[in-house]
Amino acid sequence: DELKELRDNAKNPILNVELEFQHTSTNPEVLKKYFRSLTKSRSVEDLHEKIKESVYKLNALDLYKSCDVIVLPGKAINSALIQFVLKDKRWWSLSFGATADNEGGKSVLSAHFRNLRGKADLTNVNVEYKLNTGTWGYEMFHHDRLYMPGKWETMYSVKKYSDELDQNIKEHAYGGSFSLRSSDGKHKLEAGRYVRTNEIAAEYASLPLLKQELPVSVKNYLAHTYTRDLRDNPSEPRTGILSTLTNEFAFGGDVNFHKIDFKIHHYFPILADIVFQSTFGLGAFMPWKNSKTRINDRYRSRYIKGFQAIGSREQPADPAMRGKFAIEGDDLGKLSVMNMEAKIHFYNFPVLSGVGLVPYIYANMICEEPHKFTNAKTYFQEKARGSCGFGLGWVGGFGRIEFSYASHVWKKPGDVSAEFQVLFGE
């Protein structure tokens, strides 16, 4: 009888749901819009499920230390009042992270400022450092997570940074961007403008580098990124797929082009704690007719497992500088690139798993200029190189770090191999 009564109560109709938020600096009207679906509950059972969903959505905002939910009778018959008793996190905090990029990855120290506008917003001041190239970047970033609650988030960025594009050239740039991102994280639309100046080590540089890359260039761009994440666990995936597709259009400045990048990771369980991961990446750079291209935008392959640098290079303009260095001359970049990697992760490995380390073995292949493909035999003989080896992966609160050792490398003329490497990101 008691069980039947509980089931009957769960089906009782609810005609109206009101929300109340206490002890928080966030504007209540903003939170009411965020939890609009909660007010559409029309039964006790439905209300119970949507309250659980709402607590999850609150945690995703990363603003509150705790949340108590109190359900009270509403003012009218068959109505409810939901009280959220919140405790805000400290308005500022520090964090350290790591992400992957063309120079082997970067570490980021961030100061976070929460809820400055009272709209569940987040403002970051970021300092970036690239270990492999010794370059720095600085960014002011503002994230409005409830711009259109449940639909779109906005991001504003003002940035100044330096990148080592190749051993004899550094890019110094400043600019800003505005982004719209869907709340489910699948779509991101970004527009921005950057002014770029190249610093060249003229003593060691090649003549094409000196001729082509000294002028200041302005880049206006519009980019769309689609992300599909079907992994069972982002930090230790055993099954699923993660894929990204980015289309970038540069226009109206000193460079005009279309650039497309695709990358997919696929995870297959071999045994309970042994997981096979396949990765495929493809990028293509398509300059518009009569438009100049710059090394700043073309593909360079550096700091990939087994390699410090990949590809043929332009020789130094000064003959006296030739034959003196391991990496000689300049890589002016390519119009396309294709990368493949197979990796086996060994989760819950004795001793190592206790400190968060996951051993792996890997084999990779890097193929430059796939747009020049004619037939498989000729292309892979001329353009493909790779390596195999093993390493340790560590995933912390700031991202993934890999300690990699290449036991064997297959390289082409101009490539510079590397045995032991520390790489950031996937």
Side-chain angles (χ1 to χ4, degrees):
D1 291 340
E2 291 181 359
L3 181 59
K4 184 177 182 300
E5 184 179 355
L6 287 172
R7 288 174 177 171
D8 291 341
N9 288 337
K11 296 177 181 178
N12 283 345
I14 295 178
L15 303 179
N16 183 53
V17 177
E18 295 183 357
L19 306 179
E20 186 177 288
F21 299 90
Q22 300 179 0
H23 309 306
T24 178
S25 59
T26 309
N27 187 329
E29 297 304 316
V30 172
L31 291 175
K32 286 179 181 178
K33 291 180 180 178
Y34 187 45
F35 296 116
R36 186 177 297 163
S37 63
L38 187 57
T39 64
K40 297 179 180 179
S41 302
R42 289 298 174 259
S43 71
V44 174
E45 185 178 23
D46 186 27
L47 181 63
H48 175 70
E49 292 301 318
K50 288 184 176 177
I51 287 175
K52 290 195 296 183
E53 178 186 324
S54 299
V55 172
Y56 173 80
K57 291 169 69 175
L58 272 176
N59 289 334
L61 293 177
D62 191 32
L63 289 174
Y64 309 106
K65 283 184 177 180
S66 63
C67 170
D68 295 322
V69 182
I70 303 173
V71 182
L72 300 172
K75 296 178 181 179
I77 297 175
N78 290 337
S79 67
L81 172 64
I82 313 298
Q83 291 183 343
F84 290 86
V85 183
L86 304 170
K87 185 176 182 181
D88 290 351
K89 285 186 176 181
R90 187 172 58 183
W91 69 278
W92 69 274
S93 63
L94 295 174
S95 70
F96 183 78
T99 57
D101 68 1
N102 186 63
E103 279 75 46
K106 61 185 176 183
S107 54
V108 184
L109 177 65
S110 299
H112 309 280
F113 302 94
R114 297 181 178 87
N115 225 10
L116 294 183
R117 298 171 56 231
K119 294 185 176 181
D121 52 289
L122 178 68
T123 303
N124 289 348
V125 177
N126 302 324
V127 179
E128 304 173 352
Y129 178 71
K130 296 185 176 180
L131 178 66
N132 289 314
T133 59
T135 52
W136 295 84
Y138 310 91
E139 179 184 29
M140 175 77 76
F141 176 84
H142 182 77
H143 185 185
D144 187 348
R145 287 171 286 194
L146 300 184
Y147 174 70
M148 293 180 65
K151 295 182 179 180
W152 294 99
E153 308 172 0
T154 59
M155 289 160 278
Y156 311 84
S157 173
V158 178
K159 189 173 184 179
K160 182 180 185 299
Y161 67 90
S162 296
D163 272 346
E164 185 182 273
L165 304 182
D166 199 53
Q167 61 176 355
N168 295 323
I169 179 171
K170 286 186 178 180
E171 172 191 73
H172 305 292
Y174 65 89
S177 64
F178 169 78
S179 304
L180 272 172
R181 186 175 69 186
S182 60
S183 297
D184 59 10
K186 290 184 178 180
H187 297 276
K188 182 180 178 182
L189 186 65
E190 180 178 340
R193 175 181 174 89
Y194 280 89
V195 179
R196 309 173 300 184
T197 303
N198 292 333
E199 175 189 345
I200 297 178
E203 183 180 359
Y204 307 102
S206 63
L207 196 57
L209 184 70
L210 293 169
K211 286 182 176 181
Q212 298 175 23
E213 307 301 342
L214 271 175
V216 174
S217 66
V218 176
K219 174 184 170 183
N220 306 315
Y221 70 93
L222 180 67
H224 173 261
T225 300
Y226 174 74
T227 302
R228 184 174 174 83
D229 191 349
L230 301 175
R231 296 174 296 173
D232 61 334
N233 185 328
S235 58
E236 283 193 2
R238 285 170 165 77
T239 63
I241 296 174
L242 171 64
S243 59
T244 58
L245 175 65
T246 300
N247 277 281
E248 179 184 0
F249 297 88
F251 55 90
D254 298 313
V255 291
N256 298 278
F257 62 81
H258 175 207
K259 192 174 185 179
I260 184 168
D261 290 283
F262 173 73
K263 194 168 191 179
I264 183 168
H265 306 273
H266 204 159
Y267 299 86
F268 305 88
I270 300 174
L271 297 174
D273 292 320
I274 302 178
V275 177
F276 176 80
Q277 175 190 348
S278 64
T279 299
F280 174 80
L282 179 66
F285 178 87
M286 294 159 280
W288 294 3
K289 188 176 181 180
N290 300 323
S291 175
K292 295 180 180 179
T293 64
R294 305 296 298 270
I295 187 177
N296 310 68
D297 305 303
R298 296 190 291 265
Y299 294 100
R300 292 100 49 202
S301 298
R302 310 173 72 207
Y303 302 108
I304 297 174
K305 287 189 186 75
F307 297 90
Q308 185 177 347
I310 287 175
S312 59
R313 313 179 74 84
E314 297 288 344
Q315 292 300 301
D318 184 354
M321 294 297 166
R322 298 176 185 175
K324 292 187 175 182
F325 306 97
I327 306 179
E328 186 177 284
D330 302 306
D331 179 5
L332 301 183
K334 304 295 187 294
L335 296 183
S336 61
V337 66
M338 179 172 64
N339 297 327
M340 292 171 277
E341 183 180 76
K343 186 187 292 184
I344 298 178
H345 302 270
F346 300 90
Y347 295 121
N348 295 325
F349 200 84
V351 181
L352 295 178
S353 62
V355 290
L357 293 172
V358 178
Y360 64 81
I361 57 176
Y362 82 92
N364 65 1
M365 180 185 293
I366 304 97
C367 303
E368 293 192 313
E369 301 180 307
H371 68 284
K372 294 184 178 180
F373 181 92
T374 53
N375 65 75
K377 182 178 180 181
T378 302
Y379 175 76
F380 286 110
Q381 283 180 346
E382 294 179 355
K383 301 293 185 180
R385 64 271 285 162
S387 69
C388 63
F390 55 89
L392 296 171
W394 185 78
V395 179
F398 55 83
R400 180 179 177 84
I401 298 178
E402 289 191 351
F403 306 92
S404 176
Y405 179 80
S407 57
H408 192 84
V409 176
W410 295 269
K411 61 181 183 178
K412 300 294 183 184
D415 296 345
V416 178
S417 60
E419 291 185 349
F420 179 76
Q421 294 168 291
V422 179
L423 302 172
F424 295 93
E426 185 61 61

